Amino acid sequence: MRKDFSKYISYMSRQYALEKKKNLSLDEEKELAVIKHTISNLPYEKLISEEKTPS
């Protein structure tokens, strides 16, 4: 699960960077759309709750 949580954080970081950028290229716009779609399909609520519980 830690790998999935790391992937989630990585996607969120990239999404944040792209959203803060003023002028996105077409490739960056496509990348942002893919990232948003991927994030919406990740079971992030489950990942976050599992991170909070001690192993």
Side-chain angles (χ1 to χ4, degrees), residues 2-41:
R2 287 193 183 274
K3 184 177 181 182
D4 290 335
F5 187 74
S6 295
K7 186 185 292 187
Y8 172 73
I9 296 298
S10 177
Y11 281 127
M12 289 297 295
S13 299
R14 183 62 179 151
Q15 178 183 358
Y16 180 80
L18 288 171
E19 288 176 344
K20 289 296 177 185
K21 193 171 178 184
K22 293 188 183 208
N23 297 314
L24 295 177
S25 68
L26 288 176
D27 287 339
E28 289 169 331
E29 288 177 9
K30 289 178 186 176
E31 181 183 2
L32 182 57
V34 169
I35 288 171
K36 285 182 177 184
H37 177 76
T38 302
I39 289 172
S40 70
N41 290 326

